[in-house]
Amino acid sequence: MKNLFLIIFLALLSISCNSQNNKDYNFGFETKTRNNSLPEGWYHWGNIIAKNESALFQAGKKSVIIQSPTQASEGGISYTLFNIFQGKELRLEGYVKTEKVENSAGLFISLARGDQQPLGSNEIKTENVHGTTDWKKYTITLPITENQGTLQIGGFLKGKGKVWFDSFKVYVDGTNIETIASEGHYQSADEFLLDSQFKIDSLNETQISNLYQLGKTWGYLKYHSPEVSKGNMNWDYELFRFLPHINSKNFDALLFNWSRTFGAGIKTEIKENYYVDIVSPDQNPVFKNEEPYQRIKWDDTGMKILALFRYWNSINYFFPYKDIIGKNWDQILKDYIPKIIHTHDELSYKLTILELTTEIHDTHAGIYDFGNIIDEFYGIREAPLKTRFVDEQLVITDISKHNSVSGFSVGDIITEIDHQKVSDLLNEKAKYIPASNKASLLREISKIILKTNEDDIVLKIKKDNGEILDISSKTIPAQDMAAKANTSAYKELDPATGYINSTIIKEQEVHTAMEKFMNKKGIIIDLRGYPKQFTAELLSGYLYPEEKEFALFKITSLQHPGKFEMKGIAKIGKRNKNYYKGKIAILVDQNTQSASEFIAMALRTAPRSAVIGSQTAGTDGNVSYIDLPGRISTSMSGLGIYYPDGKDTQRTGISIDIQAKPTLQSIRKGEDLLIQKAVEFINQ
């Protein structure tokens, strides 16, 4: 059971705190919103199926059922709370009903500190719930040794079977926490941790203008004020305290005096900042000590304003590609003040943050949503097909083994999805897809365009012979659409040509492959995906007769945030008279992103090499992560990458020597045109 709990605990660290109001924990599973498969505020983990159950319940009208399809399956449901309660003991009560449970099922409870280290755990031991049992109340307890951290409660199932849960209650020293919360008798770890205490019901132009000025001033002081940089004050809370002044007629004077309070020594050189580091050797920003506010209320205006200000200023001062965004970044701040304030629930808030991330045109952006709501917005099921865009036509490239409908063929063009034109869906979905260029945008849309929450989907397809068909297909859970594994890490394509697949080859295999390929006429290095362990440095002892420069870096500093300069140059290779003398074909396409693009830049400096393919993702540079309220996270390319002559890679992608990309006919014939072009190049 200890091993099981460790799995539970590690899984739950990545799950969001719930979004319920303090007075409504939804422990009876009665509240369900939109297309959520689980009650509001609850999440599932592991390889199990979990959903609301309205046919069987202990009380009320609903319960939750977990089904484990195989003996090896295990998982559960969880609810996360910020531990704001003072006491000596936590107690969880809950009703459990089982059917043919072959291993075990039960309740669990866990407490973690702010550093996410577990303080203790307990789960059902003596009862050892298994087999088939009727509803029964179980109780587990946990000593409280800290009054801060994360409280996890829930139910689990290990092995094959079914289990139902209902009527959970949590007590602190015998008092129900719902009573504690409703009476306001909990002990808060800090005054604004759960509520900024600022709301706006209606927004006018003066308030927007004042918020715009406040956002810029707050961000400037965050990264330039010696006092703020020391971390001696909570800068979020200073914002919350000042926010009510946006309604004052003397706002300008108040803002001026406020900024002077924290602006002493503003010209002093800052060597450390509590909120950001520039980390060697890569020199990309690392945003730290940013409170994720796990349990925000979606009508909390102050928290939403903080999210906007935190993100906008992070980009304003530390995004190396701000100069090529294509829009005035100040105007983005103005535009999103009413957008973020007018959000009314979890989904609208997260979609607005997601839309905001698209404004920087960086495929590294987006949000990592610790919860289900964005997945459910796109759809938790999908058609059992793989697709890609070819000349802006959505083409079937693979048919899942789960497909049970005849009529689909590789190379079919999908023109409508559930009676909506694909062209219209493109425009609709692009609003929430961060992408550096059109190639990466179409790549990302192809991953979600067949998602739905329905059990069936209707596709209008155009066949090779021009025939138009409407085909209705059953959908499958999105997690069942695993990509087919390519087992060839390296191989001989023919006696003269070697092939390396960067997406699956391991470090030692690179050396084994190169020893076999050193006498080949040519080597194809396939970078159409993200490398597993493959790096350019692994080939540095084989491909280069001398050291080569291949990339420049653009960075900023803590001393001058927002001022970027070219600093440092990437080099590869060394003097080596026994280097590989054959040709090197480097394959790239829209799936070549970040590390793969950087590797391609390096390998292109090897003698007799050529980059073959089509526009890459244009998303180069190390990733920097930014935490935002609601415990969501976003990211950006934190390091600027350029060719030695200063040529861009971001948005444009890496330079292509020989253009090649799949056609409709090559897909229908099962041909790889890039491999063909590579073989032609090697044999020239």
Side-chain angles (χ1 to χ4, degrees):
M1 294 299 284
K2 288 183 178 179
N3 291 335
L4 172 62
F5 184 79
L6 178 61
I7 294 170
I8 292 171
F9 181 78
L10 293 174
L12 293 179
L13 290 186
S14 65
I15 297 176
S16 164
C17 282
N18 68 79
S19 61
Q20 298 298 306
N21 181 280
N22 285 333
K23 298 180 182 180
D24 181 13
Y25 291 103
N26 202 20
F27 288 166
F29 310 115
E30 297 300 304
T31 306
K32 181 174 177 289
T33 58
R34 299 182 180 273
N35 294 308
N36 297 9
S37 58
L38 283 173
E40 187 172 2
W42 288 84
Y43 305 94
H44 77 272
W45 52 272
N47 53 346
I48 49 86
I49 299 169
K51 61 182 180 179
N52 242 143
E53 171 71 85
S54 56
L56 270 174
F57 44 83
Q58 186 273 331
K61 296 182 178 179
K62 294 176 183 175
S63 65
V64 166
I65 180 174
I66 296 177
Q67 299 181 66
S68 195
T70 69
Q71 187 63 45
S73 297
E74 56 187 88
I77 57 169
S78 73
Y79 194 97
T80 314
L81 297 163
F82 193 86
N83 180 35
I84 57 175
F85 307 107
Q86 192 174 39
K88 295 181 179 180
E89 183 183 79
L90 292 166
R91 184 172 88 244
L92 171 64
E93 292 182 356
Y95 282 82
V96 180
K97 175 182 171 64
T98 63
E99 180 180 306
K100 297 181 180 178
V101 172
E102 295 182 3
N103 196 318
S104 60
L107 311 179
F108 68 84
I109 186 170
S110 167
L111 180 64
R113 295 187 184 93
D115 60 4
Q116 298 298 302
Q117 294 299 312
L119 299 179
S121 66
N122 195 358
E123 65 268 45
I124 293 180
K125 294 179 180 177
T126 56
E127 289 84 355
N128 189 23
V129 184
H130 63 275
T132 299
T133 64
D134 203 353
W135 287 111
K136 181 180 177 180
K137 183 171 76 173
Y138 295 96
T139 300
I140 55 176
T141 60
L142 177 70
I144 302 175
T145 56
E146 300 279 348
N147 71 331
Q148 293 187 31
T150 302
L151 172 64
Q152 305 275 1
I153 67 168
F156 71 88
L157 172 62
K158 183 177 181 180
K160 200 169 184 179
K162 297 179 182 179
V163 58
W164 290 261
F165 299 100
D166 202 359
S167 303
F168 280 21
K169 292 180 181 179
V170 178
Y171 298 86
V172 176
D173 292 345
T175 303
N176 191 318
I177 66 169
E178 295 184 69
T179 302
I180 298 172
S182 65
E183 295 177 356
H185 293 156
Y186 53 77
Q187 172 160 331
S188 177
D190 217 319
E191 61 181 308
F192 296 116
L193 189 62
L194 301 179
D195 192 339
S196 75
Q197 302 170 31
F198 179 76
K199 291 183 181 179
I200 296 177
D201 294 323
S202 60
L203 189 66
N204 58 48
E205 290 300 320
T206 299
Q207 290 171 322
I208 293 173
S209 176
N210 291 346
L211 283 168
Y212 167 74
Q213 294 181 64
L214 176 58
K216 295 195 70 176
T217 303
W218 178 83
Y220 179 81
L221 291 171
K222 182 175 184 177
Y223 298 124
H224 291 84
S225 165
E227 283 301 306
V228 178
S229 296
K230 291 174 185 176
N232 293 334
M233 65 195 74
N234 188 313
W235 198 231
D236 295 350
Y237 291 4
E238 295 301 328
L239 172 64
F240 295 152
R241 293 186 181 105
F242 191 83
L243 276 172
H245 293 307
I246 68 164
N247 299 309
S248 173
K249 294 180 179 179
N250 300 318
F251 174 80
D252 290 342
L254 291 169
L255 182 63
F256 176 75
N257 290 330
W258 182 76
S259 63
R260 286 184 64 187
T261 302
F262 302 104
I266 205 77
K267 295 183 180 179
T268 303
E269 189 171 275
I270 294 174
K271 295 182 179 180
E272 293 183 16
N273 190 298
Y274 181 74
Y275 293 104
V276 65
D277 274 335
I278 305 295
V279 179
S280 297
D282 299 319
Q283 298 295 299
N284 62 301
V286 174
F287 300 99
K288 58 182 184 174
N289 296 318
E290 297 285 20
E291 173 60 50
Y293 298 100
Q294 303 178 87
R295 192 177 167 80
I296 71 171
K297 303 172 185 176
W298 307 114
D299 62 348
D300 188 332
T301 308
M303 286 292 182
K304 293 185 283 189
I305 290 170
L306 172 62
L308 174 60
F309 286 1
R310 186 186 289 180
Y311 181 79
W312 187 89
N313 282 288
S314 299
I315 299 299
N316 192 52
Y317 291 108
F318 296 101
F319 185 47
Y321 301 118
K322 194 183 81 168
D323 58 325
I324 58 171
I325 284 175
K327 289 184 179 180
N328 183 299
W329 193 237
D330 281 8
Q331 187 61 46
I332 296 295
L333 177 58
K334 292 178 183 177
D335 292 344
Y336 275 83
I337 287 169
K339 280 188 177 184
I340 196 78
I341 288 175
H342 289 148
T343 61
H344 57 277
D345 58 13
E346 181 183 6
L347 179 61
S348 59
Y349 167 72
K350 290 183 176 178
L351 286 178
T352 301
I353 295 292
L354 189 53
E355 184 180 359
L356 174 62
T357 68
T358 70
E359 301 288 0
I360 67 172
H361 299 290
D362 182 7
T363 315
H364 274 149
I367 66 171
Y368 308 94
D369 173 33
F370 292 90
N372 304 335
I373 201 156
I374 296 297
D375 289 338
E376 290 163 353
F377 171 73
Y378 289 130
I380 59 175
R381 302 179 66 82
E382 62 182 295
L385 306 166
K386 290 288 185 182
T387 62
R388 68 170 290 168
F389 283 92
V390 178
D391 296 329
E392 298 194 24
Q393 296 184 107
L394 186 63
V395 179
I396 297 173
T397 58
D398 192 19
I399 300 172
S400 168
K401 64 181 180 180
H402 299 288
N403 179 63
S404 60
V405 179
S406 61
F408 294 123
S409 302
V410 170
D412 287 347
I413 300 169
I414 301 174
T415 60
E416 291 184 12
I417 301 169
D418 280 337
H419 311 295
Q420 285 186 276
K421 292 182 179 179
V422 168
S423 56
D424 293 336
L425 288 170
L426 271 176
N427 295 327
E428 176 186 308
K429 295 184 182 298
K431 182 178 180 180
Y432 302 116
I433 304 293
S436 301
N437 54 37
K438 192 167 186 178
S440 58
L441 176 67
L442 293 178
R443 180 196 78 193
E444 292 302 304
I445 291 178
S446 71
K447 295 177 183 178
I448 63 169
I449 199 165
L450 294 183
K451 289 183 179 292
T452 179
N453 288 306
E454 304 301 324
D455 293 331
D456 298 276
I457 193 169
V458 178
L459 305 178
K460 184 181 288 292
I461 63 172
K462 183 178 181 181
K463 307 292 287 184
D464 189 12
N465 61 7
E467 183 181 9
I468 305 295
L469 298 175
D470 283 326
I471 301 179
S472 178
S473 171
K474 291 290 182 183
T475 59
I476 61 174
Q479 63 266 26
D480 291 348
M481 278 296 293
K484 289 183 178 179
N486 185 336
T487 56
S488 299
Y490 64 92
K491 60 184 177 181
E492 289 187 354
L493 290 185
D494 57 54
T497 310
Y499 171 86
I500 292 174
N501 185 339
S502 69
T503 64
I504 59 174
I505 197 167
K506 297 178 181 178
E507 182 174 343
Q508 185 53 49
E509 291 176 317
V510 173
H511 299 295
T512 303
M514 287 306 300
E515 289 170 5
K516 291 184 176 182
F517 295 164
M518 285 299 286
N519 295 319
K520 297 288 186 187
K521 187 176 181 181
I523 300 173
I524 298 172
I525 300 174
D526 197 335
L527 291 172
R528 292 175 291 179
Y530 201 81
K532 186 178 181 69
Q533 297 180 4
F534 184 76
T535 65
E537 285 75 16
L538 289 173
L539 297 177
S540 61
Y542 299 98
L543 303 183
Y544 302 89
E546 59 186 355
E547 187 177 66
K548 293 282 188 179
E549 298 178 346
F550 69 91
L552 282 174
F553 302 132
K554 187 170 80 168
I555 63 173
T556 188
S557 66
L558 295 181
Q559 292 74 39
H560 305 287
K563 181 181 179 181
F564 289 89
E565 60 179 342
M566 297 293 188
K567 191 173 183 179
I569 190 162
K571 300 178 181 180
I572 193 169
K574 60 182 180 181
R575 287 196 172 275
N576 177 18
K577 65 180 181 180
N578 296 317
Y579 72 94
Y580 175 71
K581 306 299 194 302
K583 288 186 175 182
I584 303 164
I586 305 156
L587 307 188
V588 300
D589 66 4
Q590 73 277 4
N591 296 302
T592 307
Q593 177 173 313
S594 194
S596 293
E597 291 178 292
F598 194 70
I599 293 169
M601 293 172 69
L603 296 181
R604 181 59 188 89
T605 61
R608 306 186 73 197
S609 65
V611 175
I612 300 172
S614 57
Q615 187 178 35
T616 61
T619 312
D620 220 342
N622 294 6
V623 179
S624 295
Y625 296 94
I626 308 164
D627 288 330
L628 299 175
R631 204 182 177 202
I632 57 178
S633 180
T634 183
S635 57
M636 68 178 189
S637 300
L639 183 67
I641 304 293
Y642 298 79
Y643 280 99
D645 62 1
K647 182 181 177 182
D648 288 334
T649 61
Q650 185 78 1
R651 299 197 68 179
T652 58
I654 64 168
S655 299
I656 309 294
D657 298 307
I658 301 172
Q659 292 286 337
K661 59 183 179 180
T663 64
L664 193 56
Q665 289 305 314
S666 70
I667 290 173
R668 287 170 174 167
K669 292 179 181 179
E671 298 174 341
D672 190 330
L673 290 188
L674 274 69
I675 293 283
Q676 292 179 8
K677 284 286 186 181
V679 172
E680 290 175 12
F681 161 71
I682 289 168
N683 290 322
Q684 287 174 350

